[in-house]
Amino acid sequence: MKTLRLTSNDRAVLLDSRFFARLPRATAEAILDGTIASTHEEHDILFRQDEPVDHVFFVLSGLVRLYRLGKDGREADIAVFPKGEIFGENAMFLEHRATANAQAAEPLIVARLESRKLRQLAAENTDVAQALIELLCHHGKMTEDCLAEDRLLTAPQRVASYILSHCPDGLSSFSFRLPFQKNVLAGKLGLAPEALSRAFSMLRQSGVTVKGRVIEIRDRQALEKF
Amino acid sequence: MKTLRLTSNDRAVLLDSRFFARLPRATAEAILDGTIASTHEEHDILFRQDEPVDHVFFVLSGLVRLYRLGKDGREADIAVFPKGEIFGENAMFLEHRATANAQAAEPLIVARLESRKLRQLAAENTDVAQALIELLCHHGKMTEDCLAEDRLLTAPQRVASYILSHCPDGLSSFSFRLPFQKNVLAGKLGLAPEALSRAFSMLRQSGVTVKGRVIEIRDRQALEKF
DNA sequence: CGCTTTTTTGACACATTTCAACACTCGTGG
DNA sequence: CCACGAGTGTTGAAATGTGTCAAAAAAGCG
């Protein structure tokens, strides 16, 4: 891990993101003041479950996997954060201890917002508090969605649902590129990699073609009722 | 469903709860001003997924089940809220639409806090915002725990974990009464009722006895490594 | 091109759901 | 007091879905 200054491009990206865009410019600048960035190699750990964390993280580039460890060493993914997303904010309000492990799933650059400062700002400034509330809501809903899908859908259905979530409304045929390795997708969907593979080949008979990371859908309807 | 005024006992219970206790008395009173209660029979629906909700709910007595529906009509429990807990707060920040269905799992009385008013207060008052942030964090963590357990533990392990979460630290043998029907517990743990039943009989060989709703644990150690 | 890493496939084991039948509990009314 | 019935919980057998392990195939990268 190396630490860097924020580039002016980084600042621009940050200020444009959903979290900062809703804040008055001066407030956003105040949060960013003193913020640094750090780079990490794939597989690096950013923080560990139950250990202290002093930052809230913003993904500038790369990918982060948030997961819990079982007693037997197995890993359960809680969420995956691509470029532009914020994570680790909940530790701020849980005595600065992480609820999960965070690992770079690709070469990674993150901005590190000082969590004590941010917490303090949130306590004084309703704009910041509001932004945090919306972030927490959003993350909470993501987790709920995940839990519900795990409990209601089979593996192929979860994969179909994931694919459909990338389909612009109204199109009945389209294609897109997976934003990360199948490995990671499997984890995010709560599947073993083999199960993901098999799910894709089930979906072939519903008009889904997979070539490398490129997914092609011929008939959206067929997927929807899978 | 019948609507009622809050009794003075209700007010006391509310003001003592985690959410309100952290607020200055005047602020808490301001929120409660105009708040009404409603009673519901078992199986009544309080709100439905994707439909508008105008309240945040506080359970005065009884039990609420929060769940999502699958296309095939199957239900997946997201959370269960006993007396003293608040739910439905996330809809406030998601265009006042529920992310799940809420159903009385027992005869129920809830206090109905007006969500628009509460949202407004949160936007002006950092104390209220802070209280909401902590609530959202807490609920988020609950859901995360649930997701992780689903993905890491088998049915008997989840049941063991549930039992242990009711064991006061330091005791190696104890007993307690299930706070709700086994049916509901099964749902909360993401199991079919039959699976819960079988899990209990597996645990018998680790010193767990079940008589009606009373659970008795002879050897905590044995449970922990199940 | 050759090497490493990732993905796919197959065979098998295991956990859980499903469906059906049975036991138990508890309150009601004969 | 017992009999009845509805609701609740348990048990068994079969079916299903997913994980695991090993091996082959494909993709990425120098």
Side-chain angles (χ1 to χ4, degrees), chain A:
Chain A
M1 161 185 154
K2 256 190 294 196
T3 73
L4 319 163
R5 276 234 161 61
L6 290 184
T7 68
S8 64
N9 183 51
D10 291 342
R11 298 183 84 84
V13 168
L14 280 155
L15 293 171
D16 257 7
S17 70
R18 185 139 96 239
F19 183 83
F20 287 97
R22 68 168 46 256
L23 297 175
R25 188 50 154 272
T27 314
E29 299 278 7
I31 295 173
L32 288 189
D33 182 52
T35 295
I36 58 168
S38 62
T39 66
H40 306 263
E41 303 182 11
E42 190 169 344
H43 301 133
D44 278 6
I45 304 290
L46 288 142
F47 55 76
R48 284 180 214 277
Q49 192 172 347
D50 301 321
E51 293 189 355
V53 211
D54 296 317
H55 300 272
V56 172
F57 297 81
F58 180 102
V59 182
L60 286 165
S61 81
L63 197 70
V64 172
R65 205 168 66 87
L66 206 68
Y67 64 98
R68 299 248 185 117
L69 278 173
K71 280 200 294 262
D72 52 0
R74 286 196 359 269
E75 304 181 345
D77 286 31
I78 304 295
V80 167
F81 300 101
K83 181 175 14 171
E85 300 222 22
I86 292 182
F87 66 95
E89 78 287 348
N90 55 355
M92 244 186 323
F93 305 99
L94 298 165
E95 295 158 332
H96 297 278
R97 300 210 167 248
T99 62
N101 309 70
Q103 183 190 46
E106 282 179 9
L108 178 73
I109 311 179
V110 288
R112 298 174 161 258
L113 315 173
E114 297 171 42
S115 58
R116 281 178 176 78
K117 186 169 117 188
L118 190 52
R119 192 184 194 299
Q120 184 59 34
L121 277 170
E124 299 163 352
N125 179 321
T126 52
D127 290 325
V128 176
Q130 217 57 23
L132 278 173
I133 284 176
E134 305 216 347
L135 180 64
L136 286 165
C137 260
H138 182 243
H139 283 171
K141 180 159 156 31
M142 299 278 93
T143 317
E144 265 192 25
D145 290 349
C146 224
L147 181 63
E149 293 211 338
D150 268 28
R151 291 183 170 182
L152 289 171
L153 306 182
T154 66
Q157 288 173 324
R158 297 210 287 271
V159 176
S161 159
Y162 174 80
I163 292 175
L164 287 169
S165 75
H166 284 250
C167 173
D169 289 345
L171 290 182
S172 90
S173 125
F174 68 107
S175 86
F176 73 104
R177 202 182 143 77
L178 288 177
F180 31 73
Q181 273 185 253
K182 293 197 181 136
N183 233 338
V184 177
L185 177 57
K188 178 179 152 75
L189 297 178
L191 297 173
E194 296 93 328
L196 176 64
S197 202
R198 281 186 247 271
F200 274 133
S201 54
M202 296 250 92
L203 292 179
R204 205 157 27 216
Q205 71 194 45
S206 301
V208 175
T209 319
V210 182
K211 272 214 204 74
R213 281 203 194 169
V214 179
I215 313 285
E216 195 184 328
I217 290 84
R218 256 199 309 287
D219 177 7
R220 185 204 178 122
Q221 314 273 345
L223 261 194
E224 275 167 357
K225 63 188 151 192
F226 198 92

Side-chain angles (χ1 to χ4, degrees), chain B residues 54-187:
Chain B
D54 296 317
H55 300 273
V56 173
F57 297 82
F58 180 101
V59 181
L60 287 166
S61 81
L63 195 71
V64 172
R65 207 167 63 88
L66 206 68
Y67 64 97
R68 298 246 186 121
L69 279 172
K71 281 198 293 258
D72 51 1
R74 286 198 356 271
E75 303 181 346
D77 285 32
I78 303 296
V80 167
F81 300 101
K83 181 175 14 173
E85 300 222 23
I86 293 182
F87 67 93
E89 78 287 349
N90 55 356
M92 247 190 319
F93 305 100
L94 298 164
E95 296 158 332
H96 297 279
R97 299 210 166 249
T99 62
N101 308 66
Q103 183 191 46
E106 282 179 9
L108 178 73
I109 311 179
V110 289
R112 299 174 162 257
L113 316 173
E114 297 171 40
S115 59
R116 281 178 176 78
K117 186 169 117 187
L118 190 52
R119 191 185 195 297
Q120 184 58 33
L121 277 170
E124 298 163 353
N125 180 323
T126 53
D127 290 324
V128 176
Q130 218 57 22
L132 278 174
I133 283 175
E134 306 217 347
L135 180 65
L136 285 166
C137 260
H138 182 242
H139 284 170
K141 181 160 156 27
M142 299 278 95
T143 317
E144 265 192 27
D145 290 350
C146 223
L147 182 63
E149 292 211 339
D150 269 27
R151 290 184 171 182
L152 288 171
L153 306 182
T154 66
Q157 288 173 326
R158 298 210 285 271
V159 177
S161 159
Y162 175 80
I163 292 175
L164 286 169
S165 76
H166 285 250
C167 173
D169 290 346
L171 290 180
S172 90
S173 123
F174 67 106
S175 85
F176 73 103
R177 202 183 143 75
L178 288 178
F180 31 72
Q181 275 184 247
K182 291 191 182 145
N183 232 338
V184 177
L185 177 58

Side-chain angles (χ1 to χ4, degrees), chain B residues 29-47:
Chain B
E29 300 277 7
I31 295 172
L32 289 188
D33 182 52
T35 294
I36 59 169
S38 61
T39 66
H40 306 262
E41 302 183 13
E42 190 170 345
H43 301 133
D44 278 6
I45 305 290
L46 288 140
F47 54 77

